[in-house]
Structure formats: C-alpha cells, structure tokens
Amino acid sequence: MMSSGNPSTTSIHVTALDGLVNVNSLFTVAVFVGLSIASPGQRSLENRSACDAGPGVARNLLVFEVVSFSFFLFSSLVAQGLKLAINLLNSNDVDEAFRAHIDARVLRLAMLASAVGSIIGSLFLLLSMVNVVQIRLGLLSCGSHSTVRAVAALVTLVCTALAVYIATIFYAFTH
C-alpha cells in the first residue's frame, strides 16, 4: 500500500471523518423527529379541510425519511469503516496513532462515497421536511403563506448549505 502523505494528513482525514459521522448522527435524529411530529390524518394548522395533507403526503414522508436514514447510515458506516482501516493499518507504536499507510485512491474514494451519501441523505431529508411542513401547516397547493414561507426558507437555506458543502468537497479533491 502507498502512503497517504505526511503523518498529519491521516490525522486530518480521521478528523474529517469524525465530523462527518457526527453530522450524520444529528441528521438521523432529525429523521426521527420528523416522523414523530407528523402523523397521517392530522389536521393542519391552516384550519381548512381542503388544506389537510392526505395519506399520499404521509406515505411520501415515510419513504423520504427511510431513504434519508439509509443514506446517512451508509455514509456513517463507510466513514467508520475507513477510520477502522486507518487504525488497523497504523503502526504498532502508540506514538504514531495518526500515521497509516493506506492507498490514497482508496482513501479519497471512500471519503467521497461518504460525502455523497451525506449529500443525498440531506436532499431526502429536505424532501421529508417539506412533507412535515405540509402535514403541520397545510398543503403547498393551498397557498398558505406560512407553508410557502417555511418551505421557501427551508429549501433556500439547505440548498445554499449543500452548494457550499459540495464546492468545498470539490475544492478539497482538486487541490
């Protein structure tokens, strides 16, 4: 196996993987919070029965939450596996805890797979949160100002954050 660079490089990778796993854990909590606050047949706060979400919205919520959870779990398991590989490949010397000899291509590919899993999981979490908003505040098709503003803020902020995250990943992998 080839060295992944200087000794501090592996330490930086482990720190990045730790951060990714921590963020995925927070998003996984959001998945279950979304499931707990929205239930089928629930009346919206719009107070018009035509604005209440039907079983299709609740079904989509459940599907998006499960898919989101699956991608976060995938991302976290890949990151944890990579961390385990780094630790197993480390020197027997305790003082060299962050020096591992691992193929740089494998390291980059696994980190990219983990990041992509988080990105896709975030997109499905966004879709599920839109459904939570529709269940709680009323359908978007009703034109409720609260629903439209909440969804607009959610989509704008999450998409902006994802764009920054993707740009940062792209920059890190090309430099």
Side-chain angles (χ1 to χ4, degrees):
M1 296 205 154
M2 298 172 51
S3 174
S4 63
N6 62 34
S8 65
T9 302
T10 306
S11 175
I12 291 168
H13 288 110
V14 169
T15 303
L17 291 168
D18 279 336
L20 189 61
V21 169
N22 289 336
V23 168
N24 285 344
S25 297
L26 290 174
F27 287 156
T28 300
V29 170
V31 167
F32 291 106
V33 168
L35 285 174
S36 69
I37 64 172
S39 57
Q42 189 173 26
R43 296 267 321 178
S44 71
L45 297 175
E46 186 61 28
N47 233 5
R48 293 185 300 183
S49 61
C51 293
D52 292 344
V57 175
R59 188 177 315 110
N60 285 341
L61 168 66
L62 184 59
V63 169
F64 292 149
E65 295 279 342
V66 169
V67 173
S68 176
F69 174 74
S70 300
F71 275 105
F72 290 134
L73 186 59
F74 166 81
S75 175
S76 293
L77 288 174
V78 169
Q80 287 291 74
L82 187 56
K83 283 176 48 182
L84 181 62
I86 290 170
N87 289 329
L88 290 174
L89 293 172
N90 279 344
S91 170
N92 291 331
D93 186 1
V94 177
D95 295 332
E96 296 180 2
F98 291 113
R99 289 184 214 160
H101 299 283
I102 188 168
D103 189 330
R105 292 172 301 199
V106 172
L107 180 67
R108 290 170 64 91
L109 182 63
M111 290 189 77
L112 184 61
S114 188
V116 168
S118 287
I119 291 166
I120 295 171
S122 296
L123 290 173
F124 278 102
L125 182 60
L126 171 65
L127 292 172
S128 70
M129 289 297 110
V130 168
N131 284 321
V132 168
V133 170
Q134 289 190 99
I135 290 171
R136 298 292 292 155
L137 295 178
L139 294 173
L140 277 168
S141 60
C142 279
S144 167
H145 294 295
S146 299
T147 304
V148 171
R149 284 187 299 223
V151 169
L154 180 67
V155 169
T156 301
L157 292 173
V158 170
C159 289
T160 301
L162 282 173
V164 169
Y165 184 63
I166 292 168
T168 304
I169 292 169
F170 181 76
Y171 179 79
F173 277 90
T174 58
H175 289 86

